[in-house]
Amino acid sequence: MNAHHEELLYAYAITRDAGAPGADDLEMLTGVAGEPVGAVRHLGLATLVGPVPAAGFGEAALRASLEDIAWLEKAARAHQRVIDAVTATGACVLPLRLATVYRDETGVRRMLADRHEQLGEALDRLDGRVEWGVKIHAAGSAAQAPAATGAGPRAPRAALSGRDYLRRRAAARHAHEEKARHEDEAARGIHAALSALAEQTRLYPPQHGPLAGPSGRNILNVAYLVRRESGDRFTSAVAGLADLAPEDGVRLELTGPWAPYSFAGQITDGQATSGQVTDGQATGGPATSGHPSPGHPSPGHPTTGEDAP
């Protein structure tokens, strides 16, 4: 990193110049370093950026920071806040990777020129669309393994033969598997109904362990691309399905609307890989594609490496 570069430009998202928020819209908006957010405009496109100190956002500093969970969580929330604010204006937004940093405005404009056709196509394809996330969880005991006991706490151990014990274990396992199968079928039916209301869907791996939280087994983890004007219809459908879901032993979790993270496509193949510095930029972090915010119940959100614009 050149010592003379005391400030770098942290980039959040790309939108069309005509739809980009103006200075008044951005006046109170701050970014990952508490910096004011503005726009670099070029060839009909605009990149939302903020000046950040080189000491904290150069290549080496970013690599160290991305190993710090507290820093990563704070940065992801700030990154998300900027994107959400622009999305709320109705502009079509292509979120950029978390920790995408340019040396200066020249580098930003070079990126807009180099990727102009792909960026324009993505903006055309996603204009007027938003992303909704739906997770389907098992609501009952299918999230847990069948009990290992045989005849219950009051039964004398000697009263059970080995054959009886194995029979009861097999019966418990079969009941568990049948319940899980029924929940999976219910989740697929819900997904089919919601897919009919969406233009595109993206399936993410179910979340397990700490990512799943206390919600039980995560059966499906899906992002839906929906026309903005169809949002009420989509959320009403989710609400109706959620009311019926407990009868099938499942529970729905809805998040959004978000910028279309999961559907921006692979339009950054020419950019640097994470942690490298090129002539135009330094990129330090995972993709925001799939919702970067730790508080965002993301479809994996999840990151997909090079899927963000």
Side-chain angles (χ1 to χ4, degrees):
M1 177 65 65
N2 190 321
H4 296 293
H5 285 90
E6 297 181 359
E7 281 191 336
L8 302 169
L9 287 178
Y10 185 107
Y12 297 91
I14 297 168
T15 186
R16 290 204 179 278
D17 191 353
D24 292 343
D25 299 312
L26 299 173
E27 184 177 3
M28 303 302 293
L29 189 59
T30 57
V32 294
E35 84 284 5
V37 176
V40 175
R41 304 169 190 271
H42 188 55
L43 299 176
L45 301 176
T47 304
L48 279 298
V49 300
V52 294
F57 288 85
E59 179 180 327
L62 275 179
R63 286 184 175 179
S65 294
L66 289 166
E67 298 297 323
D68 182 341
I69 297 300
W71 184 94
L72 185 61
E73 179 174 347
K74 181 179 178 182
R77 291 186 186 279
H79 189 104
Q80 179 77 41
R81 183 176 63 243
V82 173
I83 294 169
D84 287 348
V86 180
T87 302
T89 68
C92 182
V93 176
L94 300 179
L96 287 169
R97 295 170 55 141
L98 181 66
T100 295
V101 182
Y102 290 84
R103 299 188 192 281
D104 49 32
E105 291 191 6
T106 299
V108 178
R109 293 191 179 95
R110 182 181 301 119
M111 178 273 294
L112 292 176
D114 291 346
R115 316 301 293 175
H116 189 267
E117 182 177 354
Q118 290 174 292
L119 292 169
E121 289 175 353
L123 287 165
D124 288 343
R125 174 168 49 85
L126 298 173
D127 189 29
R129 280 85 171 166
V130 293
E131 177 172 331
W132 293 90
V134 175
K135 289 182 183 178
I136 304 176
H137 302 275
S141 59
Q144 302 177 359
T149 57
R154 293 181 180 273
R157 183 178 299 272
L160 276 179
S161 69
R163 182 177 299 174
D164 288 336
Y165 175 79
L166 293 175
R167 184 183 298 117
R168 296 189 184 197
R169 282 282 293 165
R173 186 181 304 109
H174 177 72
H176 173 76
E177 291 172 352
E178 283 299 310
K179 191 173 192 304
R181 187 176 297 110
H182 180 74
E183 291 164 349
D184 291 343
E185 290 176 355
R188 285 194 292 270
I190 292 169
H191 175 52
L194 295 179
S195 296
L197 303 176
E199 291 191 344
Q200 295 180 51
T201 66
R202 180 166 184 181
L203 287 169
Y204 285 88
Q207 293 185 343
H208 302 290
L211 287 175
S215 301
R217 183 172 68 100
N218 181 203
I219 304 171
L220 278 179
N221 187 14
V222 191
Y224 298 90
L225 184 67
V226 179
R227 284 187 174 272
R228 191 181 293 272
E229 63 268 23
S230 300
D232 288 344
R233 184 184 177 199
F234 184 84
T235 56
S236 294
V238 173
L241 291 166
D243 289 341
L244 298 173
E247 298 177 9
D248 292 313
V250 298
R251 184 178 65 81
L252 274 66
E253 179 183 357
L254 174 69
T255 62
W258 309 103
Y261 292 90
S262 301
F263 306 96
Q266 296 184 359
I267 56 177
T268 54
D269 295 340
Q271 294 190 7
T273 57
S274 295
Q276 292 183 341
V277 179
T278 66
D279 184 44
Q281 78 182 95
T283 55
T288 60
S289 176
H291 319 292
S293 172
H296 186 314
S298 63
H301 44 218
T303 59
T304 54
E306 295 297 330
D307 282 0

